[in-house]
């Protein structure tokens, strides 16, 4: 027997990626698709502008789209691909009515009683679910995954904490799909790099501190490291590439960092989990978005060019698939973890 899942914001880029990733999922089956009022009552395949593969999956092609109202939905889990402003209004309605909401939206990520989770990094933060339900009087709950850029970065920072990580500087080269569809105008980005993404740097500088913090039983004590980010949009379809400069409390060696990356283990038993969380490439010109974004079915991050940066510094590149590991795949992995932990 599979868990029934619904998708909020089903027609957008991330909503489509949810549908693609859930098509043959061994634990989950789509029972409802929800979208804006103007699409309600229409067949998904007739209404969606499908962008991410050749055809709309057969299992949802004829599914009638529903309004974003919990009274109309038969599901165990609700995946949210909504914009932040709409998510802030809609997601609590589902949580209040007893649904488990796995959200890709930014609306509640930094709320004190809302888990912000990367399963391999901070699974214990799911303990906030009980705090949230008590605080808000909800029968259900909201669990969020981080910003797409944050996920790639933090997956590499977690194994470095035990080596004395103190400060991180990161410069990102972010794919166009991260801006949604139709996204960035072609005349703005072809033959160009856009040196500003509104709101992005703040997310990349603050979300890691919560993710790498400690669950106290009632909240999160944020990590004491500092993160400084500069974020840029580049003419790549999928795959965020980040140049990371990590400073440590004392002398650090490249081999120790590489060993920490390669020793970072996935959570066993989750269908979407990759065999390797961090793939380390030795070639001098890797990772590259076209070559490496699909590693681990898009759920691994790929690290390369690990090298010294003074006695107490290491610099490296990390790449991840922003709409898989950085968005829909992240929410699905969170939901799988919650099922495994019997929270759903």
């Amino acid at each position: 027997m599979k868990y029934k899942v619904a998708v909020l914001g089903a027609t957008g880029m991330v909503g489509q990626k949810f549908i693609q990733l859930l098509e043959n999922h061994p634990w989950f089956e789509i029972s409802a698709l929800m979208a804006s009022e103007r699409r309600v009552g229409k067949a998904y395949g007739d209404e969606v502008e499908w962008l991410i593969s050749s055809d709309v999956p057969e299992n949802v092609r004829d599914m009638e789209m529903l309004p974003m109202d919990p009274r109309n939905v038969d599901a165990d889990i609700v995946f949210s691909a909504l914009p932040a402003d709409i998510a802030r209004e809609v997601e609590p309605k589902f949580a209040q009515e007893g649904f488990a909401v796995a959200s890709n939206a930014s609306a509640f990520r930094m709320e004190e009683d809302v888990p912000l989770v990367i399963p391999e990094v901070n699974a214990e933060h799911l303990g906030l679910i009980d705090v949230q339900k008590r605080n808000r009087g909800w029968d259900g709950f909201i669990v969020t995954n981080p910003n797409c850029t944050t996920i790639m970065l933090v997956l590499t920072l977690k194994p470095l904490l035990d080596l004395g990580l103190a400060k991180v500087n990161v410069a990102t080269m972010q794919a166009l799909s991260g801006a949604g569809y139709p996204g960035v105008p072609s005349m703005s980005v072809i033959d160009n790099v856009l040196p500003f993404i509104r709101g992005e740097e703040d997310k990349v500088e603050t979300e890691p501190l919560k993710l790498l913090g400690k669950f106290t039983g009632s909240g999160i004590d944020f990590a004491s490291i500092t993160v400084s980010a500069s974020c840029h949009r580049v003419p790549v379809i999928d795959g965020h590439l980040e140049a990371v400069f990590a400073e440590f409390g004392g002398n650090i060696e490249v081999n120790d960092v590489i060993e920490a990356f390669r020793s970072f283990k996935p959570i066993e038993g989750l269908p979407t989990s990759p065999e390797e969380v961090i793939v380390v490439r030795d070639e001098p010109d890797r990772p590259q978005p076209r070559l490496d974004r699909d590693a681990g079915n898009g759920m691994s991050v790929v690290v390369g060019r690990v090298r010294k940066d003074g006695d107490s510094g290491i610099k490296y590149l990390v790449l991840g698939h922003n709409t898989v590991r950085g968005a829909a795949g992240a929410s699905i992995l969170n939901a799988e973890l919650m099922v495994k932990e019997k929270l759903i």
Side-chain angles (χ1 to χ4, degrees), residues 106-248:
S106 64
F108 293 96
R109 287 176 188 156
M110 299 304 291
E111 296 279 333
E112 291 183 356
D113 59 357
V114 175
L116 177 66
V117 174
I118 303 172
E120 302 93 336
V121 171
N122 63 332
E124 69 278 5
H125 287 200
L126 290 176
L128 278 177
I129 289 172
D130 288 337
V131 178
Q132 180 188 141
K133 293 170 77 171
R134 287 197 304 269
N135 286 352
R136 300 176 186 245
W138 290 347
D139 292 326
F141 54 86
I142 298 170
V143 171
T144 62
N145 58 263
N147 170 271
C148 51
T149 310
T150 301
I151 290 179
M152 316 311 173
L153 176 64
V154 171
L155 280 168
T156 65
L157 298 185
K158 176 65 173 180
L160 302 183
L161 285 181
D162 290 340
L163 300 179
L165 181 68
K167 182 179 179 181
V168 178
N169 295 312
V170 58
T172 73
M173 294 150 274
Q174 298 183 213
L176 297 173
S177 57
Y181 185 85
V184 182
S186 60
M187 289 290 285
S188 295
V189 75
I190 293 174
D191 189 34
N192 204 14
V193 172
L194 303 180
F196 175 66
I197 305 172
R198 188 173 302 279
E200 195 78 358
E201 290 166 0
D202 179 64
K203 295 172 186 175
V204 178
E205 291 176 350
T206 57
E207 291 178 4
L209 309 185
K210 183 175 182 180
L211 287 157
L212 297 171
K214 294 183 178 180
F215 176 56
T216 66
S218 59
I220 306 296
D221 281 345
F222 281 25
S224 60
I225 66 170
T226 59
V227 180
S228 180
S230 183
C231 298
H232 322 96
R233 189 76 69 193
V234 297
V236 170
I237 298 298
D238 291 311
H240 288 355
L241 183 64
E242 306 175 24
V244 183
F245 303 81
E247 296 181 17
F248 296 79

Side-chain angles (χ1 to χ4, degrees), residues 12-319:
M13 284 283 287
V14 175
Q16 292 181 35
K17 184 59 71 172
F18 270 118
I19 289 167
Q20 183 188 47
L21 295 176
L22 290 166
E23 182 178 6
N24 297 304
H25 196 281
W27 293 4
F28 304 147
E29 64 177 359
I30 297 174
S31 62
L33 301 176
M34 290 167 282
S36 59
E37 286 296 327
R38 66 187 179 87
R39 301 182 189 276
V40 170
K42 300 177 181 179
Y44 184 78
D46 294 338
E47 188 67 12
V48 68
E49 187 172 359
W50 189 256
L51 300 165
I52 60 172
S53 61
S54 58
D55 294 301
V56 178
E58 288 291 336
N59 63 317
V60 299
R61 181 183 298 276
D62 298 323
M63 192 171 288
E64 180 181 315
M65 285 186 284
L66 302 176
M68 293 186 288
D69 185 334
R71 295 171 296 182
N72 299 319
V73 177
D74 177 20
D76 304 295
I77 304 164
V78 174
F79 291 112
S80 174
L82 294 172
D85 56 340
I86 301 174
R88 181 159 288 279
E89 176 186 350
V90 172
E91 290 178 2
K93 295 178 181 178
F94 282 84
Q96 187 173 5
E97 293 300 321
F99 291 91
V101 180
S103 175
N104 182 67
S106 64
F108 293 96
R109 287 176 188 156
M110 299 304 291
E111 296 279 333
E112 291 183 356
D113 59 357
V114 175
L116 177 66
V117 174
I118 303 172
E120 302 93 336
V121 171
N122 63 332
E124 69 278 5
H125 287 200
L126 290 176
L128 278 177
I129 289 172
D130 288 337
V131 178
Q132 180 188 141
K133 293 170 77 171
R134 287 197 304 269
N135 286 352
R136 300 176 186 245
W138 290 347
D139 292 326
F141 54 86
I142 298 170
V143 171
T144 62
N145 58 263
N147 170 271
C148 51
T149 310
T150 301
I151 290 179
M152 316 311 173
L153 176 64
V154 171
L155 280 168
T156 65
L157 298 185
K158 176 65 173 180
L160 302 183
L161 285 181
D162 290 340
L163 300 179
L165 181 68
K167 182 179 179 181
V168 178
N169 295 312
V170 58
T172 73
M173 294 150 274
Q174 298 183 213
L176 297 173
S177 57
Y181 185 85
V184 182
S186 60
M187 289 290 285
S188 295
V189 75
I190 293 174
D191 189 34
N192 204 14
V193 172
L194 303 180
F196 175 66
I197 305 172
R198 188 173 302 279
E200 195 78 358
E201 290 166 0
D202 179 64
K203 295 172 186 175
V204 178
E205 291 176 350
T206 57
E207 291 178 4
L209 309 185
K210 183 175 182 180
L211 287 157
L212 297 171
K214 294 183 178 180
F215 176 56
T216 66
S218 59
I220 306 296
D221 281 345
F222 281 25
S224 60
I225 66 170
T226 59
V227 180
S228 180
S230 183
C231 298
H232 322 96
R233 189 76 69 193
V234 297
V236 170
I237 298 298
D238 291 311
H240 288 355
L241 183 64
E242 306 175 24
V244 183
F245 303 81
E247 296 181 17
F248 296 79
N251 186 62
I252 189 73
E253 298 299 332
V254 167
N255 288 342
D256 293 334
V257 169
I258 290 176
E259 177 60 27
F261 287 153
R262 287 183 166 149
S263 300
F264 191 44
K265 300 299 183 185
I267 295 181
E268 295 182 359
L270 305 185
T272 301
S273 185
E275 291 184 9
E276 293 180 89
V277 180
I278 302 173
V279 177
V280 180
R281 305 290 309 209
D282 297 323
E283 302 92 329
D285 60 349
R286 301 284 284 275
Q288 297 178 28
R290 265 196 320 199
L291 301 179
D292 297 304
R293 60 193 167 207
D294 293 322
N297 294 319
M299 290 297 289
S300 297
V301 297
V302 183
V303 164
R305 301 200 67 207
V306 184
R307 57 216 193 272
K308 288 277 283 185
D309 189 23
D311 290 338
S312 60
I314 292 288
K315 50 189 175 182
Y316 58 91
L317 293 171
V318 59
L319 172 81

